[in-house]
Amino acid sequence: MTFEQSLWSCIIPIPAGYNETIVTPQMSRSVEAQWSFRAEKDGCALVLPDGRCDIIFRFSIYDAAPPVPIITGPATETYEVAYAEGDCWTGLRMRPECAAWVWGHKIKTSADNVLRGQKAYDHLPQIRKFGSLLSSTGSYIELIKNIEGSAPDGRLCEAVKLIHVSGGRMRLDALARILQCSTRHLNRLFRANVGIGAKTYGQLVQFHRAVGLLRTQQISITDAALEAGYADHAHMTRTFRKFGRFVPSNVPSDLAQPGILA
């Protein structure tokens, strides 16, 4: 898996040259954020998963080659990747419940997957004419009009909302009861639209909240674990190792979290 595969649907060390605009539901029912990045110097990013997919174009200011299209699947793994001065990206981060509009029938195998170059164009030919024009709000709105499908199931949208409201702490069976469906059906909705299971998505939200608590609140690791909904310190540590490759006592100081996950 490459840097581009999950670059901007995650927590990253934000270098100079990165800009992100959170998109409100009133502006787009499918796009969560529009972003761009130009590396002003060589650097390295710790890429943490958040279960979302992106439409990305990569290029370099030192290369006349056209932008390379990249379509990422919902990330569930973390990677550390280097980038070079002059490397540029621009793209859209999709709302989790709309990933199937990008991946279509491949959504169930999209997790931690990537389509690049001609494979991306073959899969989603609508993106061919946009390229680096995604830095324009008008361009991304026009692009999304070309790929949007039917509205996601209302229960799925409500499930995503409740998972975030609870900080990922809500049990799957409790969530299913509120939505008046079975846990099996709820998981089918997630896998068919988000690309990962409901439990995994909740674990990612819980992980990000715990990281945010440790970075922004003056509380102990034990208190952070309890506040985030983990059984104990050891439980949180296992999750941090799984999703972040670090432990709660050594959270990297240069992490920056998207507002929706902080």
Side-chain angles (χ1 to χ4, degrees):
M1 183 172 174
T2 63
F3 183 27
E4 297 89 355
Q5 184 168 350
S6 56
L7 176 61
W8 301 115
S9 52
C10 50
I11 299 178
I12 57 172
I14 300 296
Y18 174 73
N19 295 283
E20 180 177 275
T21 301
I22 300 298
V23 179
T24 66
Q26 289 74 25
M27 292 177 63
S28 172
R29 60 193 177 110
S30 56
V31 175
E32 188 170 76
Q34 178 186 7
W35 55 263
S36 63
F37 168 60
R38 171 178 167 176
E40 298 182 356
K41 59 182 180 179
D42 295 355
C44 189
L46 181 66
V47 182
L48 303 187
D50 74 352
R52 286 154 172 75
C53 71
D54 289 68
I55 300 173
I56 303 170
F57 285 87
R58 179 185 180 180
F59 56 98
S60 172
I61 61 174
Y62 301 126
D63 190 338
V68 176
I70 303 156
I71 299 173
T72 75
T76 66
E77 301 175 349
T78 189
Y79 298 87
E80 185 175 322
V81 186
Y83 50 82
E85 178 186 356
D87 285 348
C88 300
W89 289 262
T90 183
L92 304 176
R93 186 170 72 233
M94 303 297 293
R95 299 189 190 281
E97 62 269 28
C98 298
W101 291 351
V102 174
W103 282 92
H105 69 280
K106 295 182 178 180
I107 184 64
K108 293 183 180 180
T109 59
S110 64
D112 300 305
N113 198 1
V114 64
L115 299 174
R116 189 187 317 192
Q118 190 58 48
K119 289 183 178 180
Y121 283 139
D122 290 345
H123 177 73
L124 206 63
Q126 302 97 311
I127 68 175
R128 182 177 292 276
K129 66 179 181 179
F130 290 93
S132 59
L133 292 177
L134 281 177
S135 59
S136 163
T137 299
S139 293
Y140 92 71
I141 290 176
E142 187 63 30
L143 169 58
I144 291 304
K145 286 180 181 178
N146 281 274
I147 68 172
E148 283 186 337
S150 57
D153 187 291
R155 286 170 295 186
L156 174 63
C157 297
E158 185 66 14
V160 170
K161 176 183 175 180
L162 290 173
I163 288 172
H164 281 272
V165 168
S166 71
R169 291 172 293 182
M170 183 173 290
R171 290 175 53 90
L172 191 58
D173 55 354
L175 183 60
R177 283 198 300 272
I178 292 173
L179 299 174
Q180 298 184 336
C181 67
S182 67
T183 56
R184 186 174 182 180
H185 181 69
L186 186 57
N187 260 315
R188 282 201 298 265
L189 283 175
F190 267 80
R191 294 193 182 280
N193 294 276
V194 182
I196 58 177
K199 181 178 180 179
T200 299
Y201 187 80
Q203 288 174 334
L204 288 167
V205 171
Q206 184 181 31
F207 163 66
H208 281 265
R209 183 167 187 269
V211 172
L213 286 170
L214 288 173
R215 294 185 63 247
T216 61
Q217 306 293 324
Q218 298 298 317
I219 60 177
S220 69
I221 293 175
T222 299
D223 287 343
L226 294 175
E227 176 64 23
Y230 293 108
D232 51 32
H233 183 172
H235 182 198
M236 184 169 73
T237 297
R238 289 194 297 272
T239 302
F240 273 45
R241 289 187 185 278
K242 176 182 178 180
F243 290 133
R245 296 186 182 175
F246 51 77
V247 295
S249 61
N250 192 30
V251 177
S253 61
D254 55 355
L255 290 180
Q257 292 181 276
I260 196 166
L261 289 171

